[in-house]
Amino acid sequence: MTIDSSSFEALLAAARDIVLISHFNPDGDAVGSVTAAYHYLKSRGKEPHIILPSPYPESMAFLEPEEAEGRMTICEQDSEKARRLVRGTDLIICLDLNRLSRTEYLEQDILSARAKRILIDHHIPAELERFDLAISTTEVSSTCELLYWILRSLPDVAGDPARIPLRCAESIYVGMMTDTNNFSNSVFPGTFEMAAALIARGVDKDAMQEKVLHCYSVSRTRLMGHLIKDKMTLVTRHQAAYMLLSNKEKERYCFKPGDSEGFVNLPLAIGSVRISALFTENAVGNYIRVSLRSKGNINVNRLANRFFNGGGHRNAAGGRLYIPLDEVPAYFEKALDEWPDEEKFS
Ligand code: 5GP
Ligand code: MN
């Protein structure tokens, strides 16, 4: 992929303090893209700061900047500092989100900041006009991959992956690896090209897998078994399956952020299942987090838009429901009944 990054380079060159922001409930691509950008900008002598709206999985702590203390702010833990950083910076780069509301707390602060705003994202575009520069395409596996192609096109990297700092390369690899479910979905020819180049650069792909994908507790694996065995309901008329995860179960299985990563994909291993949903009670109990996955030409982004206050991609989307957990099964089945075919297969 070739990218004209001259406007990006101009905005970077003019900025010293740069704030990198990603979405609420940060996943591997969110943490990967902000830390990759951090490591690159640091190598250019910039002063980057990372802001994440809520905590991220412990397994990704190894991607953090060495000087993480003070450089990485979790809004839910220190919202005053997050807001001060947004107000004071020269440049804000939002990564892996297509709406500022995905930052949960910072939409208005970002809009009223004096800084220029850049978007780097791979979702279906939604708010491009809110940015001074938006680099957005759905033709990549992940925001991390898009960032890789941008970095390659910058004058100091000049197409040579060996000039990308190793820690930046590792972060990019992790974001791609998690968003593609380790090369099983949203993989483009360029994704393999990038992976090959990153491995040649020195990324240890087995180590990345060990740290991020094979790092869970016994209780997390038992929770996975419990959900599949006791909590999975099949809606055969719609080739769908869904699971509910309550706060009580989270407590029983010592649930930590990131523990349910990948659960929603499991029912898709069944030949007759083409849509899978996971409904998770929020810790505070004020909403249900919705995760949707599909196979082939079924567009769950449209399902998330219409029924679940959310969005995402064709085969992976998410959103929220503001009803009690025990009302979710009827709501989901009714949504599937009412979902028009022209949206489903759009
Ligand atoms: P996950 O199921 O892994 O949480 O999310 C899958 C995809 O849906 C991700 O690409 C994510 O960006 C998107 N997504 C998840 N939750 C939301 C949400 O609340 N709103 C929107 N617009 N997208 C979401
Ligand atoms: Mn992503």
Side-chain angles (χ1 to χ4, degrees), residues 15-240:
R16 186 179 139 76
D17 281 305
I18 301 173
V19 166
L20 305 161
I21 303 179
S22 193
H23 59 79
F24 186 71
N25 266 332
D27 57 4
D29 198 26
V31 181
S33 59
V34 291
T35 55
Y38 180 97
H39 294 301
Y40 169 73
L41 292 169
K42 197 76 192 161
S43 77
R44 278 186 63 162
K46 303 290 181 187
E47 287 296 333
H49 278 93
I50 292 169
I51 300 177
L52 290 170
S54 55
Y56 52 92
E58 246 171 61
S59 61
M60 287 167 200
F62 77 102
L63 301 175
E64 286 171 1
E66 269 118 37
E67 59 286 5
E69 201 52 41
R71 289 281 165 185
M72 208 157 169
T73 303
I74 307 296
C75 203
E76 283 187 348
Q77 293 163 0
D78 194 346
S79 72
E80 255 325 293
K81 183 176 171 203
R83 298 209 152 88
R84 200 166 60 240
L85 286 168
V86 169
R87 272 199 306 272
T89 193
D90 306 323
L91 179 62
I92 296 169
I93 307 182
C94 293
L95 297 121
D96 201 37
L97 52 91
N98 62 351
R99 292 180 191 281
L100 288 176
S101 59
R102 294 275 288 139
T103 64
E104 193 77 16
Y105 311 106
L106 296 169
E107 179 170 4
Q108 287 315 316
D109 300 85
I110 294 172
L111 285 176
S112 56
R114 65 174 171 84
K116 296 276 189 200
R117 293 187 287 272
I118 298 179
L119 175 71
I120 300 177
D121 183 48
H122 73 126
H123 296 94
I124 294 154
E127 293 181 350
L128 302 185
E129 73 291 346
R130 291 182 133 182
F131 295 87
D132 296 282
L133 172 67
I135 306 178
S136 165
T137 172
T138 55
E139 299 291 301
V140 286
S141 61
S142 52
T143 297
C144 277
E145 183 184 335
L146 181 55
L147 183 62
Y148 170 80
W149 296 112
I150 295 169
L151 295 185
R152 273 189 68 130
S153 72
L154 294 176
D156 64 331
V157 176
D160 180 3
R163 296 195 193 171
I164 295 176
L166 182 58
R167 299 216 49 213
C168 171
E170 288 179 342
S171 287
I172 290 173
Y173 192 91
V174 166
M176 175 278 295
M177 179 180 82
T178 52
D179 252 26
T180 61
N181 194 13
N182 213 7
F183 295 96
S184 85
N185 49 260
S186 326
V187 176
F188 293 78
T191 314
F192 290 110
E193 248 182 80
M194 173 187 82
L198 293 177
I199 290 166
R201 166 68 188 89
V203 172
D204 180 343
K205 77 167 180 54
D206 295 333
M208 299 298 110
Q209 264 169 222
E210 281 302 300
K211 283 178 202 270
V212 178
L213 303 179
H214 305 155
C215 61
Y216 293 110
S217 61
V218 173
S219 59
R220 186 261 188 188
T221 299
R222 292 203 192 282
L223 172 60
M224 185 160 77
H226 165 64
L227 285 177
I228 291 296
K229 180 167 171 292
D230 303 322
K231 299 297 296 285
M232 183 176 68
T233 304
L234 293 162
V235 189
T236 44
R237 70 184 183 283
H238 290 298
Q239 297 189 295

